[in-house]
């Protein structure tokens, strides 16, 4: 069994966070073999996987196995920046480049000089930034905002996404040329439910880790608890597992974790039941029900049916996620940019000035 942990795991918050990857399941061991074969090269790498599967840990492992291991590893979440600040964060800016730029500042590409730059949620980059990122990758140099002087860079780029970038390309929300530039060395990180052999080793690791953090004596999992862990679908992946173990330690009796201590919730089925729409309820009941519901709609010969279905999907997903655009994108498997554009189109969100000007230009 192989184990990869975050280098500062115990310094991180005790809240939900994927800080470890275990490679025991045959599928995980196959993945580890692929990582070890791709890591030594300098090729751009793209890690694909659901949220909470440990994409940053894989990126760190790639860095540690490469010849750049003694140079910086810089992790950046592309979905965490306001659209107006992305260029400054990535490429840097000069003093006076914009209001508030009181000093010059190097961007993340410069900060990762000689090492690895990890761009998480790459699908959330605005289209105008995608163009500039593509140029940086082609020319191997950056130009700070407010400057005309190019700065050479020596960085390996590792990107990650929890959405299907190929679908985003088809939808016009991700540049095809950038997709192929990133899609050189690809790694698909399976969801936890797809590698059940890793569940109990991960649970044992988190049990020991959180016992140490909480100052507890060693706790154990009951056989019934182990069965419950193996039966759960883990929509939140490793982060959900860690959170469940942490919660269980806080409420269990006699340092023995029972199934009821885990506080597991299957968000996928729960969300469908809570939603009153016939389509959602039918989908939760059986895989064939979605097709049956669509067949009934087809029989009604409704006008603009496709637009109606698409609008309903976006409205209900946005409501399910309590108005969180990023989470809505994760639920639907698309980027936040696509979510925002669709919600503006159907009137759920006020249209941004930029989108309004683009729409006016079309007419």
């Amino acid at each position: 069994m192989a184990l990869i942990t975050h280098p500062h795991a115990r310094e991180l918050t005790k809240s939900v966070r994927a800080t470890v990857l275990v490679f025991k399941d045959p599928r995980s061991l196959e993945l580890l073999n692929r990582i070890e074969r791709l890591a030594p090269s300098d090729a751009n790498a793209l890690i694909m996987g659901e949220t909470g599967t440990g994409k940053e840990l894989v990126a760190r492992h790639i860095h540690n196995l490469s010849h750049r291991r003694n140079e910086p590893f810089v992790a950046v979440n592309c979905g965490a920046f306001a659209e107006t600040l992305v260029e400054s964060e990535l490429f840097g800016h000069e003093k006076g480049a914009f209001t508030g730029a009181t000093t010059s500042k190097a961007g993340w590409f410069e900060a990762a000089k000689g090492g690895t730059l990890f761009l998480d949620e790459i699908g959330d980059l605005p289209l105008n930034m995608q163009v500039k990122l593509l140029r940086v990758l082609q020319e191997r140099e950056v130009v700070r905002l407010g400057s005309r002087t190019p700065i050479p860079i020596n960085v390996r780029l590792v990107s990650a996404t929890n959405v299907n970038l190929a679908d985003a390309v088809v939808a016009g929300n991700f540049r095809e040329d950038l997709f192929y530039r990133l899609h050189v060395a690809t790694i698909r990180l399976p969801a936890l439910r797809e590698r059940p052999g890793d569940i109990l080793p991960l649970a044992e690791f988190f049990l020991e880790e959180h016992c140490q953090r909480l100052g507890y004596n060693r706790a154990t999992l009951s056989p019934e608890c182990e069965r419950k862990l193996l039966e759960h679908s883990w929509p939140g992946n490793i982060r959900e597992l860690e959170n469940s173990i942490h919660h269980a330690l806080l409420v269990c009796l006699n340092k023995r974790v029972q199934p009821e201590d885990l506080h597991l919730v299957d968000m996928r089925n729960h969300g469908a039941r809570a939603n009153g729409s016939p389509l959602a309820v039918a989908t939760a009941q059986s895989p064939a029900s979605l097709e049956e519901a669509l067949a009934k709609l087809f029989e009604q010969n409704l006008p603009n049916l496709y637009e109606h279905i698409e609008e309903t999907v976006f409205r209900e997903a946005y409501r399910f996620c309590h108005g969180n655009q990023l989470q809505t994108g994760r639920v639907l498997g698309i980027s936040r940019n696509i979510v925002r554009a669709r919600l503006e189109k159907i009137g759920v969100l006020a249209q941004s000035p930029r989108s309004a000007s683009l729409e006016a230009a079309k007419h």
Side-chain angles (χ1 to χ4, degrees):
M1 182 180 76
L3 183 75
I4 300 175
T5 60
H6 193 287
H8 309 294
R10 292 187 178 171
E11 299 171 15
L12 299 172
T13 175
K14 294 177 184 174
S15 62
V16 181
R17 177 146 189 156
T19 56
V20 63
L21 273 176
V22 165
F23 298 88
K24 186 174 183 180
D25 189 273
R27 189 164 185 177
S28 294
L29 291 173
E30 182 182 336
L31 170 67
L32 181 60
N33 180 264
R34 179 173 177 80
I35 292 171
E36 290 173 345
R37 283 185 281 118
L38 293 175
S41 79
D42 255 350
N44 296 331
L46 179 64
I47 305 169
M48 300 171 287
E50 295 180 7
T51 182
T53 49
K55 295 186 288 295
E56 182 178 336
L57 291 177
V58 170
R60 287 181 180 275
H61 194 50
I62 290 172
H63 172 75
N64 291 335
L65 292 176
S66 73
H67 66 89
R68 298 176 180 270
R69 65 181 67 89
N70 295 321
E71 302 300 333
F73 174 89
V74 177
V76 180
N77 188 324
C78 296
F81 302 124
E83 189 169 340
T84 54
L85 296 177
V86 175
E87 182 173 4
S88 169
E89 291 291 338
L90 287 179
F91 312 130
H93 64 257
E94 296 294 345
K95 180 179 179 180
F98 52 86
T99 303
T102 56
T103 60
S104 297
K105 178 185 174 184
W108 294 118
F109 271 93
E110 290 182 68
K113 181 180 179 182
T116 302
L117 177 62
F118 173 57
L119 295 184
D120 198 5
E121 297 190 29
I122 188 76
D124 279 342
L125 269 186
L127 280 169
N128 63 325
M129 285 299 102
Q130 293 177 27
V131 176
K132 294 182 179 181
L133 175 59
L134 178 64
R135 182 170 181 81
V136 167
L137 295 179
Q138 290 173 337
E139 305 297 331
R140 309 301 298 175
E141 60 185 25
V142 296
V143 178
R144 291 183 181 180
L145 192 63
S147 172
R148 294 186 178 180
T149 304
I151 301 172
I153 57 167
N154 174 22
V155 170
R156 182 184 189 178
L157 185 68
V158 178
S159 306
T161 178
N162 59 9
V163 302
N164 190 320
L165 289 185
D167 288 347
V169 170
V170 173
N173 291 282
F174 201 84
R175 290 184 61 93
E176 184 175 6
D177 44 9
L178 178 58
F179 171 76
Y180 287 117
R181 177 69 66 166
L182 299 174
H183 201 266
V184 179
T186 59
I187 297 168
R188 182 184 177 275
L189 195 50
L192 186 55
R193 62 185 171 275
E194 297 173 1
R195 41 192 171 108
D198 295 341
I199 294 174
L200 293 183
L202 277 167
E204 291 289 347
F205 175 87
F206 288 131
L207 198 69
E208 181 177 349
E209 186 72 15
H210 282 288
C211 278
Q212 290 189 37
R213 291 184 179 188
L214 295 168
Y216 290 176
N217 294 325
R218 184 74 169 89
T220 59
L221 302 172
S222 70
E224 296 80 11
C225 181
E226 291 184 350
R227 282 196 294 271
K228 185 72 173 177
L229 290 171
L230 291 171
E231 291 169 358
H232 189 57
S233 62
W234 300 111
N237 292 294
I238 300 174
R239 287 177 179 166
E240 182 187 2
L241 176 58
E242 179 181 1
N243 197 44
S244 298
I245 296 297
H246 184 198
H247 176 272
L249 283 172
L250 297 175
V251 300
C252 71
L253 298 175
N254 302 317
K255 301 297 179 288
R256 181 78 163 172
V257 179
Q258 302 294 342
E260 58 271 19
D261 299 326
L262 294 169
H263 195 59
L264 298 178
V265 178
D266 193 333
M267 295 298 294
R268 296 176 183 184
N269 292 336
H270 176 76
R273 287 193 298 269
N275 190 320
S277 72
L279 185 61
V281 174
T283 306
Q285 292 171 349
S286 73
S289 296
L290 177 58
E291 285 77 7
E292 292 170 2
L294 289 172
K296 291 178 181 178
L297 290 173
F298 297 152
E299 290 171 0
Q300 297 176 34
N301 196 27
L302 299 172
N304 303 318
L305 179 59
Y306 179 82
E307 286 80 1
H308 172 71
I309 293 173
E310 182 187 65
E311 179 176 331
T312 302
V313 168
F314 276 92
R315 284 183 185 276
E316 293 306 312
Y318 189 58
R319 183 180 294 115
F320 174 79
C321 296
H322 304 289
N324 185 308
Q325 294 178 36
L326 184 58
Q327 188 60 33
T328 301
R330 287 171 176 166
V331 166
L332 296 177
I334 56 179
S335 77
R336 185 175 60 178
N337 290 334
I338 299 177
V339 170
R340 184 171 58 245
R342 293 294 192 278
L343 293 177
E344 288 177 356
K345 179 182 177 182
I346 64 181
V348 175
L349 293 179
Q351 198 172 40
S352 67
R354 180 175 178 270
S355 298
S357 63
L358 290 173
E359 191 67 28
K362 293 179 182 177
H363 302 286

